[in-house]
Amino acid sequence: ETLPVIMIGADSGEDNILRGFEVGANDYIKRPFNRAEVLARIETQLRLKTLWTNELDHARSAKLLSKMLPPHIMAQLKAGSNMIAESHEEVTILFSDIVGFTTLAATHSTAEIIIMLNQMFTLFDALVDKHGVYKVQTIGDAYMIAAGHDDVSREQHCQRVFEFAQDMLEEVKKVEMPTGASPLQVRVGIHCGPAYAGVVGVKCPRYCFFGDTVNTASRMESTGHPMCIHVSQDARDSLDSAAEWADCGLSQVKGKGLMKTFFAKLGPWEDAMQERAPHDSPPAAPAEGGESPPPLTDSVTRNPSDSSGSAL
């Protein structure tokens, strides 16, 4: 803590006073001095110090809060808004999580896992700034971002998120894994559609997203494939020519029923499609009377290959 300095001297010349301020004095009093005046000046300097300290603390708090909330929300809070609730016609949501995280966490020390997660999330955070998207939160090993909710990211928001996803798959290759662990792999899911958003909580307030679009994006991730980008029909339609797409056909998605989804033809997408391909079954024996049984449906039902990651 820096204390105010009051310089007392017999020379009241301008040069002498300026030299005192140059070496760090906050005030100057000429001798002989009045005791009451000195006490009053000390009290004034202490008050100024308190105001300066409060202003510095406020600036630090504002800087920290600006990392937690988007700029347009910060502007509303500074303007005195007590409740922030928004409805967006269309946003793009991305979820990712680590494949086999539960096993990884169980077989390595806490320190090793924290170092790995911090390295990965730091790489992802840099991508947030690069692509102009918003980091909503991390949930365990899961990472969630959004775009399209503000003026900065509204333009081509689905494209922004898709490019972010492509960079994610490259960045995870740089993460140093604990000794004996396999290379890091993540699943990525994207969906776009309407959503609600608002600031919730008093301690560590967060700008959160709610609605079916969020849930569907989470399902795209959990039913995806390691190191692949799995998207909904809506996201694929928005991206269109951004990449070549592999049609997964109709898949059973928890909470949604049958949905048509796609893999971007990036990374091991062919392995993902092979995993989803229905296995050939031997023809069923004709029923009594010579009639063949009705044909099986060609829709594909798939459960997540690894449910260890977090999902909303």
Side-chain angles (χ1 to χ4, degrees):
E1 291 280 340
T2 302
L3 292 174
V5 176
I6 299 177
M7 184 174 180
I8 301 176
D11 186 355
S12 61
E14 183 177 339
D15 291 342
N16 191 49
I17 295 175
L18 288 176
R19 281 197 298 271
F21 288 134
E22 288 172 357
V23 297
N26 299 94
D27 199 357
Y28 183 90
I29 300 176
K30 181 186 175 183
R31 299 175 61 184
F33 54 82
N34 181 282
R35 182 175 181 274
E37 178 186 359
V38 172
L39 292 177
R41 287 176 179 266
I42 291 174
E43 184 176 354
T44 298
Q45 290 299 323
L46 290 175
R47 287 179 179 175
L48 289 173
K49 177 182 179 297
T50 300
L51 290 173
W52 178 81
T53 301
N54 290 342
E55 184 68 23
L56 184 61
D57 290 342
H58 176 74
R60 288 172 177 167
S61 298
K63 184 177 181 180
L64 179 61
L65 198 59
S66 68
K67 295 181 179 180
M68 301 170 62
L69 300 172
H72 77 286
I73 297 299
M74 286 291 295
Q76 293 182 52
L77 292 175
K78 290 179 180 178
S81 296
N82 294 321
M83 186 186 75
I84 297 176
E86 300 175 336
S87 178
H88 302 286
E89 291 185 6
E90 186 175 78
V91 298
T92 301
I93 304 292
L94 174 148
F95 276 94
S96 76
D97 79 348
I98 297 175
V99 177
F101 180 72
T102 300
T103 301
L104 184 66
T107 53
H108 293 84
S109 70
T110 301
E112 288 177 313
I113 297 301
I114 294 299
I115 290 171
M116 180 201 70
L117 287 176
N118 183 62
Q119 186 181 3
M120 183 183 74
F121 288 153
T122 299
L123 291 170
F124 291 173
D125 288 348
L127 295 179
V128 167
D129 295 331
K130 174 183 176 181
H131 294 285
V133 296
Y134 175 64
K135 174 185 174 181
V136 182
Q137 58 187 342
T138 57
I139 312 168
D141 62 307
Y143 196 90
M144 175 185 177
I145 68 163
H149 59 286
D150 59 7
D151 293 336
V152 175
S153 65
R154 188 166 292 120
E155 184 178 354
Q156 296 183 318
H157 54 85
C158 202
Q159 180 72 31
R160 288 173 181 267
V161 172
F162 181 65
E163 291 175 356
F164 178 94
Q166 293 178 77
D167 283 350
M168 286 182 88
L169 298 182
E170 292 301 317
E171 291 299 288
V172 296
K173 299 174 184 177
K174 302 176 183 178
V175 177
E176 297 180 8
M177 298 297 290
T179 302
S182 300
L184 185 64
Q185 292 186 314
V186 296
R187 283 186 301 263
V188 180
I190 300 174
H191 178 59
C192 59
Y196 304 101
V199 177
V200 295
V202 177
K203 288 186 177 294
C204 298
R206 300 296 301 177
Y207 180 64
C208 297
F209 288 77
F210 311 91
D212 185 65
T213 296
V214 177
N215 294 331
T216 303
S218 175
R219 299 307 178 198
M220 292 300 99
E221 175 274 311
S222 63
T223 57
H225 187 83
M227 301 303 285
C228 288
I229 302 173
H230 188 213
V231 306
S232 64
Q233 175 80 62
D234 291 331
R236 189 267 179 208
D237 291 345
S238 294
L239 292 165
D240 194 19
S241 61
E244 294 184 7
W245 302 97
D247 188 342
C248 300
L250 293 175
S251 301
Q252 186 71 34
V253 178
K254 182 179 178 181
K256 297 293 295 181
L258 290 174
M259 286 188 66
K260 193 171 187 179
T261 64
F262 300 81
F263 280 114
K265 290 187 176 180
L266 302 168
W269 68 272
E270 292 174 309
D271 294 340
M273 294 301 294
Q274 182 64 34
E275 180 180 311
R276 285 173 172 262
H279 298 289
D280 294 331
S281 300
E288 186 176 351
E291 295 183 1
S292 297
L296 297 174
T297 177
D298 61 356
S299 63
V300 179
T301 300
R302 179 181 182 275
N303 292 322
S305 60
D306 176 11
S307 59
S308 63
S310 302
L312 295 182

